Amino acid sequence: MKLNDTLITSPDDFARHFSFVEFWIKHDLFLRDLNPERIFYATDRQRQLYKVVEAWLKTEESETPEPPTYVFDETARAIIRTTVSEPDEAPCTLPVQINGDAVPAMKSVTGTNAARTAGILALYELAEKPLDITDLKTAFAEVDLDSDEIILQAGITKNFPSDLSKIRGKLTLKKIRICGTSPLETRILFNGKEAGTLKSGECAYVTAANGQFIELLDHRLENERYCLNLRCAENGKTYLEIYDKKQERVERQEDITSFALAGNEDYVYLYKKKIRSTRADSDKLYYLLDLGDEPLYIKSAGRHFIVLLNDGTVKSTDKTCERHGVFSTRVTPNGKIEYNDKRHGK
């Protein structure tokens, strides 16, 4: 298996490049490639820890799991074998180096799943890493969907609720930020349907209302002159990374929530609730929004632009495109605007 884009050929490699989120994505490869028949474990403890992890993962994969082979004894702070399937498998006790304060937090993820509790503890012991509750919650997709910023780990698949018949009230913007070192992309699904992918370090905004997710906004766009990519710095600050092919230079513009291409040589963007553009004829865009408007996103539609406000109003440089009661828009390849304004499932 590979972790952090590195081929793992020893327990030392595993410890050096261990990431629980990436491990969880590839745990079937762990069983295949890291068993003691394929790599050398220097100590009996390492081999036993592998067996605990193996027993846990087989339980996770089984549709009718048997009672756990190993459990965690909180009093003894040790992993205990509860069943013996082979004559030479003597009962064993494996002490673990876990902070007692971490046990309640861990159980918020593992619950009553005794096999998972023992397996995760054995895994972190094998990786020689302290227990990371945040990584566990991320790997098992336990994220706060009510938050304005949703943090996901690279490489996972996350399905968001998206029942458009339940949309009520004003629309909001939420930021999805991707963290972690995995080279794999994070897949975003809305009600099981593919909405888009993001890589580590990237972010994207999504429109939502009443707990339902509607649109994943553009976060990568390119024309003949510019490559545009919405990203997050380590401090969580959002910025638009702008590569100017003509000047061969990269710039950053912070606090961008939405952007769109303007032909082959320019782009437009929302900056602190105002529209900005690289176009020479951009004055009409500056005055498209009124004082007090709450724009969610801007899109290009042929020669014109549309802006969706949080109250469902669509404003446009083409007056014939303006609408009310809209919660999503789509621009077809030929520049035609399609609206989703069937509120409440009607």
Side-chain angles (χ1 to χ4, degrees), residues 21 38 49 99-100 106 117 130 145 152 157 194 202 215 224 242 264 268-269 307-308 329 338:
V21 175
R38 300 195 67 166
L49 288 170
N99 186 320
M106 176 186 63
T117 299
L145 298 184
L152 301 176
T157 296
E194 190 90 30
E202 290 185 326
E215 284 187 82
E224 291 182 6
I242 307 156
N264 293 323
V268 299
Y269 55 95
V307 175
L308 178 66
T329 66
E338 296 179 348

Side-chain angles (χ1 to χ4, degrees), residues 8 39 46 52 66 90 107 113 146-147 151 156 160 166-167 197 205 211 215 264 282 289 293 295 299 304 316 345:
I8 305 302
I39 68 171
Q46 285 181 329
V52 180
E66 298 178 356
K107 287 188 174 180
N113 190 329
D146 293 328
S147 174
I151 301 175
I156 72 168
F160 292 89
K166 295 181 179 179
I167 294 176
T197 60
Y205 285 89
E215 284 187 82
N264 293 323
S282 59
L289 298 178
D293 280 347
K299 293 184 179 182
H304 292 281
S316 176

